[in-house]
Amino acid sequence: MGLSDRRVYLDHSATTPVHPQVVESMAPYWSERFGNAASPHAFGQAAANGLEQARRAAADVLGCHPAEIVFTGSGTEAVNLALRGAAWAARQTGRGNHIVTTPVEHHAVASTVDQLRDLQGFEVTRVPVDEYGHVDPDDLASAIRSDTILVSVMAANNEVGTVQRVFRIGQVCRERGVLFHTDAVQAAGRIPLELDDTNVDLLALSAHKFYGPKGIGLLYVRRGVPLVPVITGGDHERGRRPGTVNVAGAVGLAAALRLVEEERVAECARLRRLRDRLIKGVIASIPDSRLTGHPVHRLSNHASFVFRGVEGRSIVLGLDLEGIAASSGAACAEGEPEPSPVLAAMGFSQDWGIGSLRFALGHANDEEDVAHVLDVLPGIVARLRAGG
Ligand code: PLP
């Protein structure tokens, strides 16, 4: 242990602890209901029943049909299935070759569209964002061409917390007859995900971001949306995601999704108060500090900053010695710190962009945790600036 005995976890955008009720819901599927959900015997059918119950429960929360849900091995895999699956299906029918996205997407989207471009000849347009990381739906509309097959815009940004206007973007895509995928991995439990009310065609989630287990994700695929499977094999998940299904994981994902949705309004209000206190305190007490992301349209649990001339990674290590877990989005190329592609796209220069720091609040956090951060962070930044 470092300088402090207090342990404060403020990295809930990276991952969350599994809720005890979620663990409880999963346990039978590791023991007495261990069967393969594809087996016709009683052991298999007990697992299959659990799986279908989980699918119905998740569909109920999301406002969609159970058949529109595909369980995957992670959020990254759900995103890959959405993008590759839709792009390959479009290619099969000669519908077009052009994908529209943004420069602030998570690697799951960014690397996948880059590979579709570099290895398979798809064309990719990244619509610029403003200083808050917002994409303008009108700019997006202008980027759509007659050969555009897919638009992918994240619901909420992992690094700077900005919430995009997904409802309006979906409308634009629907009017143009283009499929719309949203990476909602950071959004579950934080913004409403009512699919019957939106024009989203494909939506990716990951259980470990909302108090569910790791190794299970979900892709919502609107009925009728053509998708080529990315993994080939058997006919699990209606042929869309072959591989023996992680039933315990699916049960845990559904239980966690229900829990975070039930508590969403109250918990978001609680965390928003803590977040705002943290933001105000940091900006007031540390010179040359700025909030990153949108001041209002941002995740209720998310506070992210840049500190001029200090490396975010060093701040993270300094905080760790004080028992505080946070994260930094800055990248490191050949030893030289650089702003992350997200901050660079938002216009941050090198001296500001290297100093990125993210706090993401969750269930266990309270006023004292915020006070502890405000107690130690100004000294850490000052020491680093002084070269210590
Ligand atoms: N998309 C976003 C916005 C994320 O924040 C993450 C994880 O950090 C992912 C996708 C990938 O999810 P997973 O960790 O389940 O692969």
Side-chain angles (χ1 to χ4, degrees):
M1 185 86 50
L3 302 176
S4 165
D5 284 344
R6 196 182 167 84
R7 307 271 287 172
V8 180
Y9 185 76
L10 286 166
D11 202 11
H12 291 84
S13 291
T15 197
T16 55
V18 185
H19 192 289
Q21 280 179 41
V22 172
V23 175
E24 202 181 310
S25 73
M26 295 170 73
Y29 294 92
W30 287 312
S31 46
E32 70 264 30
R33 284 178 236 157
F34 67 89
N36 185 326
S39 301
H41 48 62
F43 289 85
Q45 289 315 290
N49 285 342
L51 178 62
E52 293 319 311
Q53 258 176 37
R55 200 185 306 281
R56 279 196 298 277
D60 194 40
V61 174
L62 295 174
C64 68
H65 193 276
E68 294 175 310
I69 284 181
V70 180
F71 289 111
T72 65
S74 63
T76 300
E77 194 198 311
V79 166
N80 268 262
L81 177 56
L83 301 179
R84 290 178 203 278
W88 294 348
R91 174 154 291 175
Q92 268 184 342
T93 52
R95 271 187 296 118
N97 214 31
H98 180 231
I99 299 167
V100 175
T101 186
T102 80
V104 296
E105 302 296 313
H106 185 270
H107 299 294
V109 169
S111 304
T112 304
V113 295
D114 283 350
Q115 204 191 60
L116 285 167
R117 179 194 62 203
D118 297 342
L119 298 185
Q120 296 179 326
F122 285 90
E123 280 188 68
V124 177
T125 300
R126 286 181 161 91
V127 180
V129 293
D130 65 15
E131 63 191 300
Y132 303 120
H134 252 156
V135 63
D136 183 334
D138 292 333
D139 292 348
L140 204 106
S142 309
I144 294 176
R145 318 187 307 213
S146 58
D147 62 342
T148 306
I149 49 164
L150 180 65
V151 169
S152 186
V153 178
M154 69 203 316
N157 187 274
N158 46 300
E159 215 174 301
V160 297
T162 297
V163 174
Q164 300 286 354
R165 285 157 280 202
V166 168
F167 187 81
R168 177 75 193 109
I169 294 168
Q171 247 177 349
V172 166
C173 295
R174 186 56 53 89
E175 281 159 19
R176 305 297 179 95
V178 176
L179 290 181
F180 176 42
H181 165 251
T182 189
D183 169 357
V185 166
Q186 291 293 341
R190 298 178 184 134
I191 57 176
L193 297 172
E194 285 138 13
L195 290 165
D196 42 8
D197 228 23
T198 64
N199 289 314
V200 172
D201 297 299
L202 296 153
L203 176 139
L205 293 180
S206 178
H208 76 96
K209 304 291 188 182
F210 50 88
Y211 308 100
K214 292 168 183 62
I216 185 82
L218 172 159
L219 183 67
Y220 158 76
V221 186
R222 185 180 289 280
R223 217 180 312 208
V225 169
L227 214 60
V228 171
V230 167
I231 297 172
T232 47
D235 61 0
H236 313 81
E237 297 297 279
R238 297 168 183 253
R240 293 174 296 189
R241 200 279 187 178
T244 301
V245 182
N246 172 2
V247 177
V251 167
L253 183 152
L257 193 59
R258 187 184 291 270
L259 280 169
V260 288
E261 185 51 31
E262 278 169 7
E263 70 176 20
R264 182 171 54 77
V265 174
E267 179 66 355
C268 286
R270 186 183 79 86
L271 294 182
R272 197 174 293 116
R273 281 194 293 278
L274 294 179
R275 177 201 72 182
D276 289 347
R277 213 182 131 211
L278 183 58
I279 292 174
K280 254 186 158 162
V282 167
I283 300 294
S285 61
I286 303 180
D288 277 341
S289 59
R290 281 166 65 183
L291 178 73
T292 57
H294 201 282
V296 179
H297 302 296
R298 68 180 302 123
L299 292 170
S300 51
N301 70 326
H302 193 292
S304 54
F305 305 92
V306 281
F307 302 96
R308 182 148 66 157
V310 201
E311 267 186 61
R313 218 182 101 77
S314 306
I315 306 175
V316 167
L317 296 177
L319 285 168
D320 191 40
L321 288 175
E322 299 288 349
I324 299 167
S327 83
S328 166
C332 209
E334 289 163 12
E336 272 299 299
E338 282 187 359
S340 72
V342 172
L343 292 180
M346 290 161 60
F348 284 91
S349 58
Q350 209 254 359
D351 61 335
W352 279 99
I354 58 164
S356 85
L357 185 69
R358 174 186 75 187
F359 296 109
L361 298 142
H363 277 168
N365 298 129
D366 58 18
E367 297 276 345
E368 279 183 43
D369 294 340
V370 172
H372 184 42
V373 172
L374 294 177
D375 222 24
V376 300
L377 185 60
I380 292 171
V381 173
R383 272 196 300 280
L384 289 168
R385 280 187 174 144

